[in-house]
Amino acid sequence: MPRYRSPIARARGLGPARTGLHDWWRQRLTAVALIPLGLWFTFSLAMLPTASYPAVVAWLQAPWNSLLLLSFIVSVCCHSMLGLQTVVEDYVHGSELKLACLLGIKLGFSFLALTAIYATLRIALAG
Amino acid sequence: MERTNPAPSRPLSPHLQAYRLPLTALLSITHRITGVVLSLGLVGLVLALFAIAQGPAAYGAVHASLSSPWGGVVLWAWIAALIFHLVHGVRHLFWDTGRGYSLTSLNRYALGELAAALVLFSAVALSATLLS
Ligand code: HEM
């Protein structure tokens, strides 16, 4: 069979780190984003126990709040998914169990992120 | 048949369980533990958001559990974990620039980090009390 891929294309990602550098970089990128977003979210969350339903909805419908919450959700789910993956890779060694954990984390956090985005948009865009 | 190995004369690296962790190591493992705890808390966040989307009745249940004493403990523990994780995370990012690795600066930053986390936590608690 003729080899259409160049040697560099075939070698890429086969080193000991595979595609790990990409994950490492995304973990840092989301960490930087989470410094302001995390602070904003903490201060907002601390008010929640005293907030009535209309107050929470009004807060979520303010454009800046919807936008910041969506940014927080996307960054935190990505960051948390990569972080938990690192923890599993450090402590879980059986290859089947490890694969199951990694799949569960990826699918779980994708679903979590989608659910959160869907709920936020529904609240923000409801009349 | 039992055989005990003679104690080796070479220096041994101390085993984790027979070794008092220095402050820097405690902060490091706490960063990992808070990371996992925060991740679990995200499930709660998504459930709460979903309840708000469902309407006042569903939100009422979430609100009641958050306003209960145990709900408050969980909420404030999560907030404290986030603040610690954030502050130590900033130091991780600083380390990634290749700086801050000498023994004296490690210990100095460790204390500074705890102080910063305490100040931030007090600020959040204070603003929550004042604005509510
Ligand atoms: C709710 C918010 C957050 C969650 C759920 C979360 C979760 C995690 C998890 C599970 C890890 C892996 C722990 C480990 O490998 O030891 C991690 C690592 C990390 N987190 Fe977060 N995190 C959050 C917020 C933040 C924030 C605000 C920052 C700010 C700088 C941050 C910075 C970092 C860094 C730099 C690492 C890498 C540590 C390492 O390489 O050992 N995180 N996070």
Side-chain angles (χ1 to χ4, degrees), chain A residues 27-28 31-32 34-35 38 72 76 79-80 83-84 86-87, chain B residues 31-32 35-36 38-39 42 78 82 85-86 89-90 92-93:
Chain A
Q27 176 103 43
R28 311 297 127 166
V32 172
L34 281 171
I35 299 172
F72 178 75
V76 87
H79 178 89
S80 181
L84 288 183
T86 314
V87 174
Chain B
H31 186 244
R32 174 155 277 196
V36 174
L38 289 169
S39 305
L42 287 181
W78 196 82
L82 180 55
H85 187 92
L86 188 147
V90 169
H92 257 287
L93 297 176

Side-chain angles (χ1 to χ4, degrees), chain B residues 35-94:
Chain B
V36 174
V37 168
L38 289 169
S39 305
L40 296 178
L42 287 181
V43 178
L45 164 70
V46 175
L47 286 177
L49 269 175
F50 207 74
I52 298 171
Q54 279 175 314
Y59 177 71
V62 171
H63 190 246
S65 59
L66 275 181
S67 316
S68 75
W70 280 112
V73 170
V74 170
L75 182 73
W76 283 96
W78 196 82
I79 289 177
L82 180 55
I83 288 173
F84 173 83
H85 187 92
L86 188 147
V87 172
H88 192 80
V90 169
R91 194 139 72 100
H92 257 287
L93 297 176
F94 182 67

Side-chain angles (χ1 to χ4, degrees), chain A residues 86-99:
Chain A
T86 314
V87 174
V88 165
E89 282 163 354
D90 280 355
Y91 301 133
V92 182
H93 298 304
S95 62
E96 277 123 31
L97 184 61
K98 184 156 118 182
L99 185 64

Side-chain angles (χ1 to χ4, degrees), chain A residues 40 57-73 120-121 123-125:
Chain A
W40 165 81
V57 171
W59 182 84
L60 271 165
Q61 286 183 339
W64 274 113
N65 289 337
S66 325
L67 208 54
L68 287 175
L69 187 62
L70 286 172
S71 314
F72 178 75
I73 290 166
T120 309
L121 288 178
I123 303 162
L125 303 179

Side-chain angles (χ1 to χ4, degrees), chain A residues 96-116:
Chain A
E96 277 123 31
L97 184 61
K98 184 156 118 182
L99 185 64
C101 288
L102 294 180
L103 275 175
I105 289 170
K106 286 214 189 286
L107 294 177
F109 273 92
S110 310
F111 185 68
L112 218 56
L114 270 181
T115 313

